[in-house]
Amino acid sequence: MAILDDVKTGLGITGNYQDGALNLYIDEVKAFLTDAGVKAETVDSPAAVGVITRGVADLWNYGAGEGALSEYFMQRAIQLKLKDSATAESGAG
């Protein structure tokens, strides 16, 4: 299943009318995670689907225009970064 489909499922969105906007937000959230130091392979893995969905919801905020990332999103992004760092230090995959 593609990340767009996963995000739409997580947000309860059906159809393809919002796909353009959702893909934009997905790309933005993935760029945020990568720029924060989360490895690209982690960002593209099932481990990141939930945080990407949360980030998309935060940015979209169903039209409210606030565009702020939630505390949960930030905490989860930090967890993924720390997990990647711990894995790199231990020499594990």
PDB file of all heavy atoms in Angstrom, residues 39 42 45 47 76-90 92:
ATOM      1  N   LYS A  39      16.651   8.902   9.124  1.00  0.00           N
ATOM      2  CA  LYS A  39      17.157   8.290   7.897  1.00  0.00           C
ATOM      3  C   LYS A  39      16.036   8.128   6.870  1.00  0.00           C
ATOM      4  O   LYS A  39      14.902   7.803   7.223  1.00  0.00           O
ATOM      5  CB  LYS A  39      17.763   6.925   8.195  1.00  0.00           C
ATOM      6  CG  LYS A  39      19.034   6.976   9.004  1.00  0.00           C
ATOM      7  CD  LYS A  39      19.540   5.569   9.245  1.00  0.00           C
ATOM      8  CE  LYS A  39      20.780   5.577  10.102  1.00  0.00           C
ATOM      9  NZ  LYS A  39      21.230   4.204  10.405  1.00  0.00           N
ATOM     10  N   THR A  42      14.075   5.004   7.053  1.00  0.00           N
ATOM     11  CA  THR A  42      13.081   4.985   8.133  1.00  0.00           C
ATOM     12  C   THR A  42      11.852   5.776   7.722  1.00  0.00           C
ATOM     13  O   THR A  42      10.717   5.342   7.945  1.00  0.00           O
ATOM     14  CB  THR A  42      13.680   5.556   9.438  1.00  0.00           C
ATOM     15  OG1 THR A  42      14.804   4.757   9.818  1.00  0.00           O
ATOM     16  CG2 THR A  42      12.657   5.552  10.561  1.00  0.00           C
ATOM     17  N   SER A  45       9.602   3.777   5.634  1.00  0.00           N
ATOM     18  CA  SER A  45       9.238   2.478   6.189  1.00  0.00           C
ATOM     19  C   SER A  45       7.883   2.539   6.901  1.00  0.00           C
ATOM     20  O   SER A  45       7.383   3.626   7.200  1.00  0.00           O
ATOM     21  CB  SER A  45      10.308   2.018   7.184  1.00  0.00           C
ATOM     22  OG  SER A  45      10.177   2.705   8.414  1.00  0.00           O
ATOM     23  N   ALA A  47       7.348   2.131   9.894  1.00  0.00           N
ATOM     24  CA  ALA A  47       7.517   2.774  11.200  1.00  0.00           C
ATOM     25  C   ALA A  47       7.124   4.249  11.177  1.00  0.00           C
ATOM     26  O   ALA A  47       6.791   4.815  12.217  1.00  0.00           O
ATOM     27  CB  ALA A  47       8.969   2.641  11.663  1.00  0.00           C
ATOM     28  N   ARG A  76       7.294  12.097  18.348  1.00  0.00           N
ATOM     29  CA  ARG A  76       7.485  10.890  17.539  1.00  0.00           C
ATOM     30  C   ARG A  76       8.655  11.068  16.570  1.00  0.00           C
ATOM     31  O   ARG A  76       9.436  10.135  16.351  1.00  0.00           O
ATOM     32  CB  ARG A  76       6.192  10.553  16.780  1.00  0.00           C
ATOM     33  CG  ARG A  76       6.263   9.255  16.039  1.00  0.00           C
ATOM     34  CD  ARG A  76       6.356   8.061  16.994  1.00  0.00           C
ATOM     35  NE  ARG A  76       6.446   6.844  16.217  1.00  0.00           N
ATOM     36  CZ  ARG A  76       7.442   5.965  16.312  1.00  0.00           C
ATOM     37  NH1 ARG A  76       8.405   6.132  17.180  1.00  0.00           N
ATOM     38  NH2 ARG A  76       7.457   4.902  15.541  1.00  0.00           N
ATOM     39  N   ALA A  77       8.795  12.264  15.993  1.00  0.00           N
ATOM     40  CA  ALA A  77       9.933  12.532  15.111  1.00  0.00           C
ATOM     41  C   ALA A  77      11.247  12.365  15.875  1.00  0.00           C
ATOM     42  O   ALA A  77      12.200  11.770  15.363  1.00  0.00           O
ATOM     43  CB  ALA A  77       9.819  13.939  14.525  1.00  0.00           C
ATOM     44  N   ILE A  78      11.293  12.865  17.099  1.00  0.00           N
ATOM     45  CA  ILE A  78      12.493  12.726  17.936  1.00  0.00           C
ATOM     46  C   ILE A  78      12.758  11.254  18.224  1.00  0.00           C
ATOM     47  O   ILE A  78      13.906  10.794  18.165  1.00  0.00           O
ATOM     48  CB  ILE A  78      12.350  13.540  19.235  1.00  0.00           C
ATOM     49  CG1 ILE A  78      12.392  15.031  18.912  1.00  0.00           C
ATOM     50  CG2 ILE A  78      13.433  13.169  20.247  1.00  0.00           C
ATOM     51  CD1 ILE A  78      11.957  15.938  20.059  1.00  0.00           C
ATOM     52  N   GLN A  79      11.716  10.495  18.521  1.00  0.00           N
ATOM     53  CA  GLN A  79      11.892   9.061  18.782  1.00  0.00           C
ATOM     54  C   GLN A  79      12.502   8.348  17.583  1.00  0.00           C
ATOM     55  O   GLN A  79      13.403   7.520  17.732  1.00  0.00           O
ATOM     56  CB  GLN A  79      10.555   8.411  19.136  1.00  0.00           C
ATOM     57  CG  GLN A  79      10.037   8.767  20.504  1.00  0.00           C
ATOM     58  CD  GLN A  79       8.653   8.170  20.749  1.00  0.00           C
ATOM     59  OE1 GLN A  79       7.911   7.867  19.814  1.00  0.00           O
ATOM     60  NE2 GLN A  79       8.306   8.026  22.013  1.00  0.00           N
ATOM     61  N   LEU A  80      12.007   8.654  16.391  1.00  0.00           N
ATOM     62  CA  LEU A  80      12.538   8.005  15.190  1.00  0.00           C
ATOM     63  C   LEU A  80      14.001   8.378  14.973  1.00  0.00           C
ATOM     64  O   LEU A  80      14.823   7.529  14.615  1.00  0.00           O
ATOM     65  CB  LEU A  80      11.705   8.363  13.962  1.00  0.00           C
ATOM     66  CG  LEU A  80      10.315   7.739  13.898  1.00  0.00           C
ATOM     67  CD1 LEU A  80       9.544   8.293  12.709  1.00  0.00           C
ATOM     68  CD2 LEU A  80      10.385   6.225  13.827  1.00  0.00           C
ATOM     69  N   LYS A  81      14.339   9.637  15.204  1.00  0.00           N
ATOM     70  CA  LYS A  81      15.730  10.082  15.071  1.00  0.00           C
ATOM     71  C   LYS A  81      16.618   9.367  16.077  1.00  0.00           C
ATOM     72  O   LYS A  81      17.701   8.872  15.735  1.00  0.00           O
ATOM     73  CB  LYS A  81      15.811  11.597  15.256  1.00  0.00           C
ATOM     74  CG  LYS A  81      17.195  12.149  15.484  1.00  0.00           C
ATOM     75  CD  LYS A  81      18.110  11.947  14.293  1.00  0.00           C
ATOM     76  CE  LYS A  81      19.430  12.664  14.522  1.00  0.00           C
ATOM     77  NZ  LYS A  81      20.579  11.869  14.276  1.00  0.00           N
ATOM     78  N   LEU A  82      16.179   9.305  17.324  1.00  0.00           N
ATOM     79  CA  LEU A  82      16.975   8.640  18.358  1.00  0.00           C
ATOM     80  C   LEU A  82      17.118   7.149  18.081  1.00  0.00           C
ATOM     81  O   LEU A  82      18.176   6.566  18.313  1.00  0.00           O
ATOM     82  CB  LEU A  82      16.362   8.878  19.736  1.00  0.00           C
ATOM     83  CG  LEU A  82      16.431  10.318  20.241  1.00  0.00           C
ATOM     84  CD1 LEU A  82      15.653  10.459  21.554  1.00  0.00           C
ATOM     85  CD2 LEU A  82      17.870  10.774  20.419  1.00  0.00           C
ATOM     86  N   LYS A  83      16.065   6.535  17.579  1.00  0.00           N
ATOM     87  CA  LYS A  83      16.121   5.110  17.230  1.00  0.00           C
ATOM     88  C   LYS A  83      17.148   4.887  16.133  1.00  0.00           C
ATOM     89  O   LYS A  83      17.944   3.951  16.194  1.00  0.00           O
ATOM     90  CB  LYS A  83      14.739   4.625  16.791  1.00  0.00           C
ATOM     91  CG  LYS A  83      14.679   3.156  16.471  1.00  0.00           C
ATOM     92  CD  LYS A  83      13.267   2.755  16.108  1.00  0.00           C
ATOM     93  CE  LYS A  83      13.208   1.275  15.762  1.00  0.00           C
ATOM     94  NZ  LYS A  83      11.877   0.860  15.396  1.00  0.00           N
ATOM     95  N   ASP A  84      17.144   5.756  15.112  1.00  0.00           N
ATOM     96  CA  ASP A  84      18.129   5.644  14.046  1.00  0.00           C
ATOM     97  C   ASP A  84      19.543   5.812  14.594  1.00  0.00           C
ATOM     98  O   ASP A  84      20.456   5.094  14.212  1.00  0.00           O
ATOM     99  CB  ASP A  84      17.882   6.703  12.965  1.00  0.00           C
ATOM    100  CG  ASP A  84      16.782   6.341  12.000  1.00  0.00           C
ATOM    101  OD1 ASP A  84      16.300   5.187  12.032  1.00  0.00           O
ATOM    102  OD2 ASP A  84      16.390   7.207  11.194  1.00  0.00           O
ATOM    103  N   SER A  85      19.738   6.767  15.502  1.00  0.00           N
ATOM    104  CA  SER A  85      21.053   7.005  16.087  1.00  0.00           C
ATOM    105  C   SER A  85      21.522   5.799  16.899  1.00  0.00           C
ATOM    106  O   SER A  85      22.682   5.395  16.817  1.00  0.00           O
ATOM    107  CB  SER A  85      21.025   8.250  16.975  1.00  0.00           C
ATOM    108  OG  SER A  85      20.748   9.391  16.216  1.00  0.00           O
ATOM    109  N   ALA A  86      20.625   5.225  17.679  1.00  0.00           N
ATOM    110  CA  ALA A  86      20.973   4.061  18.494  1.00  0.00           C
ATOM    111  C   ALA A  86      21.321   2.873  17.613  1.00  0.00           C
ATOM    112  O   ALA A  86      22.261   2.119  17.907  1.00  0.00           O
ATOM    113  CB  ALA A  86      19.823   3.703  19.439  1.00  0.00           C
ATOM    114  N   THR A  87      20.603   2.692  16.540  1.00  0.00           N
ATOM    115  CA  THR A  87      20.868   1.590  15.615  1.00  0.00           C
ATOM    116  C   THR A  87      22.227   1.776  14.948  1.00  0.00           C
ATOM    117  O   THR A  87      23.002   0.835  14.829  1.00  0.00           O
ATOM    118  CB  THR A  87      19.756   1.490  14.547  1.00  0.00           C
ATOM    119  OG1 THR A  87      18.510   1.293  15.197  1.00  0.00           O
ATOM    120  CG2 THR A  87      20.011   0.365  13.584  1.00  0.00           C
ATOM    121  N   ALA A  88      22.537   3.016  14.563  1.00  0.00           N
ATOM    122  CA  ALA A  88      23.816   3.297  13.912  1.00  0.00           C
ATOM    123  C   ALA A  88      24.973   3.053  14.877  1.00  0.00           C
ATOM    124  O   ALA A  88      26.009   2.501  14.506  1.00  0.00           O
ATOM    125  CB  ALA A  88      23.844   4.727  13.401  1.00  0.00           C
ATOM    126  N   GLU A  89      24.806   3.451  16.136  1.00  0.00           N
ATOM    127  CA  GLU A  89      25.862   3.285  17.123  1.00  0.00           C
ATOM    128  C   GLU A  89      26.111   1.825  17.465  1.00  0.00           C
ATOM    129  O   GLU A  89      27.236   1.417  17.729  1.00  0.00           O
ATOM    130  CB  GLU A  89      25.517   4.056  18.400  1.00  0.00           C
ATOM    131  CG  GLU A  89      25.642   5.552  18.233  1.00  0.00           C
ATOM    132  CD  GLU A  89      25.204   6.320  19.467  1.00  0.00           C
ATOM    133  OE1 GLU A  89      24.976   5.710  20.531  1.00  0.00           O
ATOM    134  OE2 GLU A  89      25.079   7.549  19.356  1.00  0.00           O
ATOM    135  N   SER A  90      25.044   1.025  17.453  1.00  0.00           N
ATOM    136  CA  SER A  90      25.199  -0.392  17.796  1.00  0.00           C
ATOM    137  C   SER A  90      25.704  -1.214  16.612  1.00  0.00           C
ATOM    138  O   SER A  90      26.080  -2.367  16.779  1.00  0.00           O
ATOM    139  CB  SER A  90      23.863  -0.972  18.287  1.00  0.00           C
ATOM    140  OG  SER A  90      22.956  -1.112  17.199  1.00  0.00           O
ATOM    141  N   ALA A  92      23.845  -2.199  14.260  1.00  0.00           N
ATOM    142  CA  ALA A  92      22.761  -3.053  13.776  1.00  0.00           C
ATOM    143  C   ALA A  92      22.143  -2.415  12.547  1.00  0.00           C
ATOM    144  O   ALA A  92      22.173  -1.208  12.375  1.00  0.00           O
ATOM    145  CB  ALA A  92      21.723  -3.253  14.873  1.00  0.00           C
TER     146      ALA A  92
END
